[in-house]
């Protein structure tokens, strides 16, 4: 029997869940607190001609995204044009800058030039990473993770050693490469998985394959084109979207969610999927109906929050790539400020995205669109004066790298976004930006459950549950929970029996 399903939040996982639930013939309603879809992947436009993606900017693992659209008879090209970036990105060190080329053969040559024998070792590394990617992204991460028994398939069991689940990422990279720059280059993608490379399982070398080997891409018009495409697919399947809708409470009777209080009014549903912050969803329930206590959440290792600046400059900035990583300072020192001392970094690393280098539509002619990001500990105080201090440092380092002067005087648009904004806009626990860290003791079954243990028709999806942070994992998360909800019998169906 067709179910009436509510989805709280229209982030990537919520959009994915909406598509698959509606495809199965259910009546799907998506409730979004903001005035537009996307969650952290929203976009905004300024009155003076700039278009800013607010969150995700790295289009990696293109095959996972393509596969999503294929499930609905589409291709990504039906909705937006993808451009392969060349170079993929540039990494800035004190004494050298390294640009990562689009061509894998050119990447091998680069490694060999930096460290003798590293080109051949990169082949070996990527062969193993490709195996992890194919098994991990096709088999491992697609499980609902109710039990470890789900991983007892012959393919996964036979691949267990090759997945390197018990080896930490730093030691694994060090086995292949000695040069500190190459090691930093290989380690940086896992920072946004939420922990030091010492804490992340080596299985996540799959990210190096999903990025460096499969390429870094950009959807013309901005990353938000993916959000709009997913919304269109969901609507094609029959899903309804409701914006500026705040969820006040989840109404539960006799172990079953009966519906939601939306902007003060009750609406009945057969099943509810929470794509919003997991901890916040639990606050909408009575304490005895929650999966986890406050003590549990306080004990978790969260992926970083961040300080973001959206900047519009009235002239072009030379010598700056679409993606640039400023790694002149020590990686471990910055990581320690996030996970150990939990304070603002004294010598920060940061990332810039300059989409106007690729896409003229995101800035007025002759101008530049720049997105700056510093990963931070969650829970920090983020006053305007602190934000400005770090902006000044980032601009100074960009000036040094690009040979420009007085960049701040050329600003014609500026907006900051930090810990308190993540809390206010997304109800994000501690102001986290990327969910829970993918450490070994927070992997698979050890992540927060996708199903409420006390309420049979309440489910959770997104970056705080399986499989974890990132756009492709969030798409997969929505797929997983939709399958679980589609298997659920409604109370109406049970009564009919």
């Amino acid at each position: 029997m067709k179910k009436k399903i509510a989805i709280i939040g229209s982030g990537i996982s919520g959009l994915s869940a909406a598509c698959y639930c509606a495809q199965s013939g259910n009546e799907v309603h998506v409730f979004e607190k903001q005035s537009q879809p996307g969650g952290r992947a929203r976009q905004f436009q300024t009155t003076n001609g700039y278009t800013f993606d607010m969150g995700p900017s790295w289009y990696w693992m293109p095959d996972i995204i393509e596969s999503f659209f294929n499930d609905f008879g589409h291709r990504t090209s039906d909705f937006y044009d993808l451009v392969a970036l060349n170079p993929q990105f540039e990494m800035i060190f004190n004494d050298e800058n390294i640009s990562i080329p689009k061509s894998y053969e050119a990447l091998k040559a680069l490694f060999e030039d930096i460290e003798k024998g590293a080109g051949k070792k990169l082949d070996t590394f990527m062969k193993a990473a490709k195996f992890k990617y194919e098994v991990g992204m096709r088999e491992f991460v697609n499980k609902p993770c109710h039990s470890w028994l789900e991983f007892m398939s012959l393919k996964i069991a036979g691949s267990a050693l090759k997945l390197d689940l018990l080896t930490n990422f730093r030691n694994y990279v060090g086995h292949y490469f000695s040069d500190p720059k190459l090691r930093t280059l290989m380690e940086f993608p896992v920072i946004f998985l939420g922990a030091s490379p010492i804490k992340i399982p080596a299985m996540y070398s799959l990210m190096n394959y999903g990025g460096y080997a499969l390429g870094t891409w950009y959807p013309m018009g901005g990353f938000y084109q993916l959000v709009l495409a997913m919304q269109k697919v969901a609507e094609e399947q029959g899903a309804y979207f409701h914006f500026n809708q705040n969820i006040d409470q989840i109404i539960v009777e006799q172990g079953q969610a009966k519906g939601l209080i939306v902007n003060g009014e009750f609406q009945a549903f057969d099943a509810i999927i929470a794509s919003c912050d997991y901890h916040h969803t639990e606050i909408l329930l009575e304490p005895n109906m929650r999966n986890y206590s406050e003590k549990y959440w306080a004990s978790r290792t969260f992926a970083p929050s961040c300080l973001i600046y959206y900047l519009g400059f009235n002239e072009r900035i030379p010598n700056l790539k679409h993606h640039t990583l400023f790694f002149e300072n020590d990686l471990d020192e910055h990581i320690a400020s996030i996970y150990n001392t939990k304070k603002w970094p004294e010598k920060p690393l940061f990332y810039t995205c300059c989409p106007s280098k690729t896409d003229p539509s995101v800035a007025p002619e002759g101008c530049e669109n720049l997105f700056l990001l510093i990963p931070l500990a969650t829970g920090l105080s983020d006053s305007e004066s602190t934000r400005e201090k770090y902006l000044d440092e980032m601009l100074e380092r960009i000036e040094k790298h690009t040979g420009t002067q007085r960049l701040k005087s050329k600003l014609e648009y500026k907006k900051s976004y930090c810990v308190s904004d993540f809390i206010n806009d997304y109800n994000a626990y501690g102001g986290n930006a990327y969910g829970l860290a993918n450490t070994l003791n927070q992997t698979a079954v050890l992540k927060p459950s996708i199903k409420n243990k006390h309420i049979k028709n309440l489910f959770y999806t997104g970056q705080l549950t399986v499989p974890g942070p990132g756009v492709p994992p969030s798409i997969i998360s929505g797929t997983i929970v939709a399958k679980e909800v589609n298997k659920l019998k409604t109370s109406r169906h049970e009564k009919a029996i």
Side-chain angles (χ1 to χ4, degrees):
M1 179 178 286
K2 181 172 76 171
K3 293 180 281 291
K4 186 178 180 183
I5 301 169
I7 297 177
I8 308 172
S10 66
I12 298 295
S13 65
L15 290 168
S16 175
C19 291
Y20 287 104
C21 285
Q23 185 185 49
S24 296
N26 300 301
E27 180 184 335
V28 177
H29 294 264
V30 183
F31 296 94
E32 171 55 52
K33 176 183 176 182
Q34 306 296 332
S35 61
Q36 63 184 120
R40 287 166 169 79
R42 289 181 295 154
Q43 187 180 80
F44 71 94
Q45 297 176 334
T46 70
T47 55
N48 55 347
Y50 293 92
T51 299
F52 292 99
D53 284 321
M54 293 190 70
S57 57
W58 290 84
Y59 197 106
W60 275 4
M61 303 183 185
D63 57 323
I64 303 297
I65 300 173
E66 193 69 46
S67 179
F68 164 81
F69 287 106
N70 293 166
D71 284 347
F72 301 94
H74 283 296
R75 296 175 296 179
T76 53
S77 59
D78 295 337
F79 303 101
Y80 51 82
D81 295 325
L82 271 180
V83 176
L85 299 183
N86 190 25
Q88 299 188 44
F89 61 91
E90 186 171 34
M91 187 170 275
I92 311 302
F93 296 98
N94 273 321
D95 57 351
E96 185 180 11
N97 305 331
I98 299 177
S99 288
I100 304 305
K102 170 185 170 184
S103 160
Y104 179 71
E105 289 304 314
L107 182 63
K108 277 180 60 180
L110 173 67
F111 271 58
E112 187 64 29
D113 186 55
I114 294 172
E115 179 183 318
K116 185 174 177 58
K120 187 175 180 180
K121 288 181 179 178
L122 180 65
D123 266 343
T124 306
F125 182 99
M126 284 297 185
K127 182 179 178 180
K130 180 180 180 181
F131 175 84
K132 295 184 182 77
Y133 186 85
E134 291 174 345
V135 174
M137 298 307 291
R138 302 298 178 187
E139 301 285 336
F140 193 82
V141 303
N142 284 295
K143 308 296 184 186
C145 296
H146 299 310
S147 165
W148 289 113
L149 294 175
E150 295 168 23
F151 299 92
M152 291 299 104
S153 73
L154 289 175
K155 186 168 185 179
I156 293 178
S159 306
L161 290 177
K162 292 183 179 179
L163 289 175
D164 290 305
L165 283 168
L166 300 180
T167 304
N168 76 64
F169 196 81
R170 169 150 295 169
N171 288 344
Y172 184 78
V173 169
H175 177 72
Y176 288 92
F177 309 107
S178 299
D179 184 88
K181 295 185 181 67
L182 290 185
R183 293 175 70 162
T184 298
L185 176 65
M186 300 306 280
E187 287 181 357
F188 113 81
V190 305
I191 293 174
F192 296 100
L193 290 176
S196 163
I198 298 173
K199 301 287 187 180
I200 295 288
M203 182 184 82
Y204 288 103
S205 64
L206 62 86
M207 290 189 66
N208 298 101
Y209 178 79
Y212 303 169
L214 297 184
T216 302
W217 301 77
Y218 174 79
M220 296 298 286
F223 208 98
Y224 194 61
Q225 298 305 309
L226 171 62
V227 170
L228 295 177
M230 293 181 75
Q231 180 190 9
K232 187 171 183 179
V233 170
E235 290 175 332
E236 285 178 354
Q237 304 306 310
Y240 302 93
F241 285 79
H242 310 275
F243 299 108
N244 299 305
Q245 302 291 302
N246 192 61
I247 307 302
D248 302 312
Q249 190 177 355
I250 299 172
I251 301 300
V252 180
E253 294 178 8
Q254 297 179 338
Q256 181 161 314
K258 294 297 184 180
L260 302 171
I261 302 294
V262 185
N263 286 353
E265 296 184 3
F266 175 76
Q267 297 189 37
F269 292 97
D270 297 311
I272 297 168
I273 298 172
S275 173
C276 52
D277 181 87
Y278 200 123
H279 172 266
H280 175 71
T281 303
E282 300 255 84
I283 290 176
L284 301 176
L285 301 167
E286 294 296 328
N288 64 336
M289 292 286 104
R290 299 171 187 172
N291 276 352
Y292 304 103
S293 66
E294 290 297 323
K295 183 178 180 181
Y296 168 87
W297 290 109
S299 71
R300 299 299 88 187
T301 300
F302 277 82
S305 185
C306 51
L307 168 63
I308 300 171
Y309 266 96
Y310 310 99
L311 306 175
F313 293 90
N314 61 15
E315 66 177 47
R316 305 288 283 183
I317 302 174
N319 306 316
L320 195 62
K321 304 299 189 291
H322 187 120
H323 295 300
T324 308
L325 297 154
F326 285 79
F327 273 50
E328 309 101 309
N329 297 326
D330 185 74
L331 173 62
D332 286 341
E333 188 175 324
H334 188 127
I335 289 174
S337 74
I338 298 173
Y339 301 110
N340 298 338
T341 59
K342 295 186 181 297
K343 63 180 183 180
W344 283 84
E346 293 181 8
K347 297 180 179 179
L349 312 177
F350 71 98
Y351 155 66
T352 73
C353 178
C354 191
S356 47
K357 296 296 183 186
T358 304
D359 186 353
S361 75
V362 301
E365 185 176 356
C367 298
E368 210 80 281
N369 174 318
L370 198 57
F371 169 105
L372 309 182
L373 183 150
I374 299 178
L376 298 173
T378 57
L380 294 179
S381 174
D382 59 352
S383 67
E384 195 60 37
S385 61
T386 300
R387 298 184 190 197
E388 283 290 310
K389 169 191 168 185
Y390 282 87
L391 172 62
D392 289 343
E393 177 172 344
M394 287 188 283
L395 290 178
E396 181 180 331
R397 287 159 67 180
I398 292 170
E399 288 172 351
K400 180 180 178 181
H401 169 62
T402 60
T404 53
Q405 295 181 342
R406 300 189 310 112
L407 277 178
K408 201 166 187 179
S409 69
K410 298 166 185 176
L411 277 172
E412 59 179 16
Y413 183 81
K414 179 180 72 172
K415 175 183 173 69
S416 65
Y417 203 91
C418 201
V419 179
S420 59
D421 299 298
F422 282 100
I423 294 171
N424 292 334
D425 285 355
Y426 309 123
N427 301 303
Y429 184 86
N432 80 85
Y434 301 98
L436 276 180
N438 271 354
T439 56
L440 187 58
N441 64 352
Q442 292 182 170
T443 294
V445 176
L446 301 177
K447 283 191 179 292
S449 173
I450 66 167
K451 191 176 187 309
N452 188 282
K453 301 168 186 176
H454 312 285
I455 306 166
K456 66 180 181 180
N457 59 340
L458 174 60
F459 299 82
Y460 308 82
T461 188
Q463 60 185 7
L464 284 169
T465 183
V466 293
V471 170
S474 289
I475 290 175
I476 292 168
S477 185
T479 308
I480 292 169
V481 79
K483 289 178 181 177
E484 295 296 297
V485 174
N486 287 336
K487 291 188 294 187
L488 184 72
K489 293 180 180 179
T490 69
S491 58
R492 290 176 294 170
H493 183 61
E494 290 166 349
K495 287 177 181 177
I497 292 174

